[in-house]
């Protein structure tokens, strides 16, 4: 069990550029979540997958954001035409479908939009 | 709508002293309740959780929390704080039919002085 892995850990980009973050969950976990954390705030739910199906999306996830989990393993979160307000820590978490019902979080990917 | 309130943004405590972090939630039923800790550059680590049963729950690193239904509270305590407990602490609520979709409080930053 290597935990939840997120890459890149840090990304600095210019406004208007596209960025993509990757999350590799714990291998036996079926559920995968994306959260966003801005400075001084707690994480906010963005979306989650069960296997490859995206089951829920927050209203925070504007049409510039897209998340995929094509084979039910790793997931990507893409932000198109980034804005300064997108600067945040993007956290990924995974959990089994049953059992402990506990989210294991990755260390996050910090995005800075200049 | 459900909400989570952590009234204390910042707490300073001496090493060896006791610590209590407050958390109040607003929700129509008994939710799942969690405390997470986040150290700089690290992901969120689960300290403890409450789903049902005994209202006093024990967690890792010597932490405990007590669920009080009448006060809609889930306060976190530690009898004797260590310097390594300096971190940000988040209370979170999960609704019972979508527990992985957590709502977090804004966090309490804990500073430990010698």
């Amino acid at each position: 069990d290597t935990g939840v892995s997120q890459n890149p850990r840090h990304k600095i980009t210019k406004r208007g550029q596209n960025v993509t973050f990757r999350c590799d969950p714990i291998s036996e976990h079926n559920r995968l979540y994306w959260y966003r954390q801005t400075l001084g705030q707690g994480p906010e739910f963005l979306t989650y997958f069960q296997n490859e199906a995206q089951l829920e999306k927050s209203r925070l996830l504007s049409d510039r954001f897209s998340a995929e989990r094509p084979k039910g393993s790793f997931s990507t979160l893409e932000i198109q035409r980034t804005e300064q307000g997108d600067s945040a820590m993007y956290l990924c978490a995974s959990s089994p479908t049953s059992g402990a019902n506990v989210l294991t979080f990755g260390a996050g990917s910090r995005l800075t939009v200049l | 709508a459900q909400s989570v309130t952590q009234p204390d943004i910042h707490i300073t405590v001496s090493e060896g002293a006791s610590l209590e972090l407050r958390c109040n939630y607003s929700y129509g039923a008994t939710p799942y309740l969690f405390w997470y800790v986040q150290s700089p550059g690290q992901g969120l680590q689960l300290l403890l959780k409450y789903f049902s049963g005994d209202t006093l729950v024990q967690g890792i690193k010597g932490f405990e929390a007590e669920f009080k239904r009448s006060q809609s509270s889930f306060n976190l305590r530690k009898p004797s704080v260590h310097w390594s407990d300096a971190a940000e602490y988040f209370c979170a609520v999960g609704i019972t039919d979508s527990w992985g979709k957590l709502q977090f409080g804004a966090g309490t930053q804990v500073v430990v002085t010698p």
Side-chain angles (χ1 to χ4, degrees), chain A residues 9 31 33 35 37 40-43 45 48 56 91 95-96 100-103 105-107, chain B residues 32 34 36 38 41-44 46 49 51 90 98-107:
Chain A
R9 293 292 309 278
R31 291 187 173 183
Y33 303 80
Y35 282 78
Q37 184 178 21
Q41 299 297 317
F45 170 81
Y48 92 94
E56 188 168 350
L91 296 166
S95 74
N101 288 348
V102 169
L103 301 187
F105 281 86
Chain B
Y32 295 150
F34 305 83
Y36 282 86
Q38 187 176 38
Q42 310 234 345
L44 294 157
L46 180 71
K49 63 186 184 292
F51 288 175
F90 293 94
S98 185
W99 59 264
K101 178 184 172 183
L102 301 181
Q103 181 157 358
F104 286 82

Side-chain angles (χ1 to χ4, degrees), chain B residues 53-96:
Chain B
D54 192 347
T55 57
L56 184 63
V57 293
Q58 302 296 321
I60 62 171
K61 303 186 179 186
F63 285 92
E64 67 178 24
E66 185 172 14
F67 169 61
K68 292 186 177 180
R69 184 190 306 274
S70 61
Q71 298 177 20
S72 297
S73 69
F74 189 55
N75 294 348
L76 181 72
R77 299 192 292 255
K78 185 168 184 177
S80 177
V81 168
H82 186 262
W83 64 266
S84 60
D85 294 321
E88 189 149 24
Y89 292 79
F90 293 94
C91 180
V93 165
I95 60 175
T96 53

Side-chain angles (χ1 to χ4, degrees), chain A:
Chain A
D1 179 358
T2 57
V4 177
S5 176
Q6 293 190 246
N7 290 287
R9 293 292 309 278
H10 303 275
K11 179 71 176 179
I12 300 174
T13 191
K14 293 182 179 179
R15 189 175 51 191
Q17 298 295 305
N18 300 343
V19 296
T20 299
F21 300 114
R22 175 178 169 129
C23 172
D24 288 89
I26 292 172
S27 57
E28 60 268 27
H29 285 183
N30 296 336
R31 291 187 173 183
L32 186 147
Y33 303 80
W34 286 99
Y35 282 78
R36 181 173 69 187
Q37 184 178 21
T38 53
L39 205 59
Q41 299 297 317
E44 297 171 294
F45 170 81
L46 292 179
T47 188
Y48 92 94
F49 293 83
Q50 175 143 332
N51 299 313
E52 66 276 8
Q54 188 173 18
L55 297 186
E56 188 168 350
K57 293 195 295 185
S58 162
R59 293 179 183 178
L60 294 174
L61 215 64
S62 76
D63 56 6
R64 296 185 297 105
F65 288 70
S66 63
E68 295 183 341
R69 194 182 183 196
K71 297 182 180 180
S73 56
F74 72 90
S75 175
T76 58
L77 176 68
E78 181 182 18
I79 309 173
Q80 296 182 325
R81 305 181 303 281
T82 53
E83 301 173 355
Q84 288 186 326
D86 297 330
S87 296
M89 177 76 84
Y90 291 86
L91 296 166
C92 178
S94 68
S95 74
T97 306
S98 61
N101 288 348
V102 169
L103 301 187
T104 300
F105 281 86
S109 293
R110 180 170 295 283
L111 173 65
T112 301
V113 181
L114 302 176

